[in-house]
Amino acid sequence: MANIPKRLYTGQPTDTVSTLYTVPLNKKAIVKNIILCNTGVSDTKVTLYFTPSGMEAAPDNCVVSNYMVTHGDTVVIDLAGVLEAGDMIKGLQDTGGAITVYASGIEVG
């Protein structure tokens, strides 16, 4: 099995829940690091989910809940979240275009 370090997502989630990354078939992913950078003009909340395949984003799969990122601030979250094939990272922010999310990790398989 190959372990491939990878950028899992980079971009700005919208103000509604959307899929940021889906684990490819026959692989697993270990999410190692999430960076949140607020380049907007005001403080903004962000929510992220590690959603099992076939499920919707819900409180029971939330990993970052309404986290306030101060204007001009960058937050680094170190973790080791394991996702199975078909699982997703989903997210949203209060103000579209304010917070950039960068998720990195390892794909295994």
Side-chain angles (χ1 to χ4, degrees):
M1 267 188 188
N3 295 338
I4 303 168
K6 186 172 183 182
R7 177 183 61 229
L8 305 175
Y9 175 80
T10 187
Q12 295 183 332
T14 63
D15 58 0
T16 58
V17 176
S18 58
T19 300
L20 310 180
Y21 168 76
T22 302
V23 180
L25 292 176
N26 302 317
K27 298 208 182 255
K28 292 183 181 186
I30 303 169
V31 183
K32 299 294 289 176
N33 187 276
I34 297 173
I35 301 170
L36 309 171
C37 180
N38 186 343
T39 59
V41 296
S42 62
D43 300 350
T44 302
K45 292 179 185 175
V46 63
T47 300
L48 298 171
Y49 304 88
F50 288 177
T51 308
S53 179
M55 293 185 66
E56 296 297 319
D60 62 346
N61 54 47
C62 186
V63 294
V64 175
S65 180
N66 289 313
Y67 187 85
M68 181 68 72
V69 182
T70 306
H71 159 71
D73 200 7
T74 298
V75 176
V76 179
I77 302 169
D78 290 317
L79 63 153
V82 178
L83 302 175
E84 303 289 333
D87 291 355
M88 294 160 276
I89 300 173
K90 293 185 177 186
L92 75 153
Q93 61 178 303
D94 284 350
T95 306
I99 296 178
T100 298
V101 176
Y102 181 93
S104 62
I106 301 168
E107 282 186 352
V108 180

